[in-house]
Amino acid sequence: MGGIDFEAVASASGILGLGVALGYFVRHLFRRLIDGDLIKCNDVRKKLESDLKAAAGERDEIKPQLANLNKLRNALTGEEDELWRLHTAEMPSEVASLLGQNRPKIITVMNLKGGVGKTTTVANLAAHFGKQGKRVLAIDLDYQGSLSRMLMLAANIRNTDAPRAIDLLSGNQDAVALQRQVISLQSTLDNVDLVSCGQSFDRFENRLMLRWLIGDEKDDVRYRLARVLTNNAFRSAYDLILIDAPPRLSTGAINALACSHVVLIPTVLDRLSAEAVGNFVSRLNHFRPMNTALHYAGVIGTLRGQLGGADVKDGAFEIAERGVANWTGTPYVFKSDIKYFTDLAREAGSNVGYLKHKDVKEAYILLADEIEKQLRL
Ligand SMILES: Nc1ncnc2c1ncn2[C@@H]1O[C@H](COP(=O)(O)OP(=O)(O)OP(=O)(O)O)[C@@H](O)[C@H]1O
Ligand SMILES: [Mg+2]
């Protein structure tokens, strides 16, 4: 009675010890499990953090590309002008300095309206200035090839391996070799050489523009022609370069604007066409910063009398004068215009009127004299 049951105590403390040990073991097990999970969680968090960082980096890289794509999309849905202004233009300094010397004088004949006499103007002016003794290079930048056809037919030249507009804009041709191989029209047109153009030019121009837009071309393709024409081979060979531009703001047309001192704008002198001059000149203004040498825009009245009498012409002349005043350089409307000649219409560009018809020749001489005085050729 009243004695301690040692056996019971021993068994109870054994159970207690076992309980404590078990508890320790279980806690330890939990701890390890939890620690293990925590470590795993930590690893996952670190991985997530690094993934997030990488994603943020990629987003920063993609951002400007996305902005470019957006600009490209907007430009593609807007006017051609915007496409050509997508990348800021900076005229290469050596090109700017050589063009600044004004020799040879480079004149682009351009109007986005079709059939206004651009090609006819280039051909007849080339014939006249060549005859005067100026060394003239006529460049056809229209894939329709009307100027090439007109001049080559006149000079009786058929097929030729001579350099074409494509070669001038390809960016990898030797300018000296190009100049040596241009087509000489000497047999019929004194002192006139030609760089011709044909159908394949269209696809070439589009591909070149797209590659430039998406950054696949290393150089600024807008200055390809300027680089060739400011090469000494061309500078020393010519006094005057006349470029026939297409009625589009194509790669060729932009290259022409990027290397010219002067834009001549043939316009039918009726009211509607004269009204379009202001709009065209305003569009041209956007391209002036591209070429520091481009300063002169002159409107030439063409096809007078085709639609109406002298009163129509006079009204249109004033409208053209107001329109060309939008030009931020030197604007001018030539007093000598070119009337509608039945012979020219009938021959439809198969010959150079200057060479065949006295009245056509006289009209172009008057115009050329005024151009010469205006531009101090
Ligand atoms: N003064 C004129 N009198 C009569 N016909 C002319 C005159 N000038 C040009 N033509 C004729 O009008 C047509 C268009 O002329 P031209 O090819 O020179 O225009 P263009 O502006 O170069 O055309 P495009 O925009 O297609 O390049 C030709 O058939 C040409 O012979
Ligand atoms: Mg033409």
Side-chain angles (χ1 to χ4, degrees):
M1 286 268 303
I4 300 165
D5 183 346
F6 284 104
E7 255 181 51
V9 169
S11 133
S13 60
I15 289 166
L16 197 69
L18 200 66
V20 168
L22 201 66
Y24 175 78
F25 176 73
V26 169
R27 225 180 34 244
H28 186 69
L29 194 69
F30 267 119
R31 162 117 275 141
R32 287 198 61 175
L33 281 174
I34 288 168
D35 280 355
D37 281 352
L38 272 178
I39 289 170
K40 269 194 214 150
C41 278
N42 241 353
D43 287 351
V44 170
R45 201 197 61 212
K46 272 188 194 153
K47 172 103 180 42
L48 277 175
E49 277 174 359
S50 93
D51 284 355
L52 268 174
K53 223 171 164 182
E58 277 172 18
R59 196 193 53 206
D60 286 348
E61 261 177 42
I62 289 170
K63 254 187 189 166
Q65 292 176 11
L66 207 66
N68 261 347
L69 272 177
N70 271 336
K71 269 206 271 177
L72 188 57
R73 196 189 56 196
N74 292 341
L76 279 171
T77 50
E79 298 219 33
E80 276 169 309
D81 314 27
E82 291 168 38
L83 275 181
W84 286 115
R85 286 184 279 121
L86 201 62
H87 304 310
T88 316
E90 203 172 318
M91 185 171 236
S93 55
E94 68 279 14
V95 169
S97 128
L98 290 170
L99 280 182
Q101 295 174 17
N102 269 297
R103 285 279 156 220
K105 191 72 118 185
I106 306 180
I107 299 177
T108 287
V109 179
M110 190 171 183
N111 192 336
L112 296 180
K113 268 186 159 259
V116 293
K118 296 181 285 293
T119 302
T120 309
T121 304
V122 171
N124 286 284
L125 290 180
H128 173 75
F129 286 125
K131 185 139 194 69
Q132 260 197 345
K134 290 189 174 32
R135 296 164 306 159
V136 180
L137 175 65
I139 303 179
D140 189 352
L141 289 184
D142 188 345
Y143 74 87
Q144 294 182 91
S146 312
L147 180 72
S148 312
R149 201 162 37 249
M150 199 180 277
L151 297 181
M152 284 164 74
L153 279 174
N156 228 341
I157 293 172
R158 300 269 178 257
N159 293 324
T160 163
D161 289 332
R164 299 174 149 248
I166 284 188
D167 301 310
L168 260 58
L169 265 69
S170 69
N172 54 18
Q173 297 265 357
D174 171 13
V176 178
L178 283 179
Q179 196 286 320
R180 276 204 201 115
Q181 293 159 18
V182 296
I183 305 169
S184 167
L185 304 171
Q186 188 67 34
S187 60
T188 316
L189 292 125
D190 296 343
N191 304 311
V192 181
D193 286 347
L194 167 71
V195 172
S196 69
C197 194
Q199 282 295 333
S200 51
F201 192 55
D202 186 31
R203 208 151 37 106
F204 164 83
E205 284 182 298
N206 290 337
R207 207 171 42 227
L208 191 57
M209 180 185 73
L210 281 173
R211 285 177 56 81
W212 171 75
L213 280 172
I214 60 176
D216 272 6
E217 291 291 338
K218 285 193 195 78
D219 63 325
D220 189 337
V221 304
R222 292 170 292 192
Y223 295 110
R224 291 240 172 125
L225 186 60
R227 284 190 185 281
V228 172
L229 297 185
T230 50
N231 182 287
N232 198 41
F234 282 84
R235 277 167 29 82
S236 56
Y238 301 107
D239 302 307
L240 181 63
I241 298 180
L242 289 167
I243 302 176
D244 185 23
R248 297 171 297 281
L249 283 172
S250 58
T251 311
I254 296 303
N255 266 270
L257 289 175
C259 69
S260 292
H261 303 102
V262 176
V263 187
L264 294 181
I265 309 169
T267 309
V268 181
L269 278 184
D270 62 51
R271 280 177 170 270
L272 209 64
S273 305
E275 271 160 12
V277 168
N279 180 35
F280 175 54
V281 162
S282 302
R283 287 176 74 177
L284 280 186
N285 278 332
H286 292 309
F287 295 101
R288 274 202 81 210
M290 191 172 71
N291 175 0
T292 45
L294 177 59
H295 63 94
Y296 197 97
V299 176
I300 298 172
T302 55
L303 297 160
R304 171 170 47 84
Q306 186 186 15
L307 296 170
D311 53 328
V312 173
K313 185 226 154 181
D314 289 344
F317 189 91
E318 259 83 78
I319 298 168
E321 265 190 330
R322 278 200 298 277
V324 79
N326 288 344
W327 178 243
T328 53
T330 309
Y332 190 71
V333 181
F334 290 93
K335 310 283 179 287
S336 320
D337 60 0
I338 303 295
K339 77 178 189 76
Y340 179 86
F341 292 103
T342 326
D343 284 332
L344 285 187
R346 200 177 44 239
E347 287 166 7
S350 61
N351 214 315
V352 181
Y354 184 94
L355 301 176
K356 281 189 77 182
H357 308 289
K358 196 166 163 280
D359 48 357
V360 175
K361 181 175 175 175
E362 280 167 6
Y364 277 103
I365 288 177
L366 283 178
L367 173 65
D369 284 351
E370 196 178 350
I371 290 176
E372 200 170 358
K373 249 187 235 136
Q374 276 293 314
L375 303 179
R376 297 191 200 96
L377 293 180

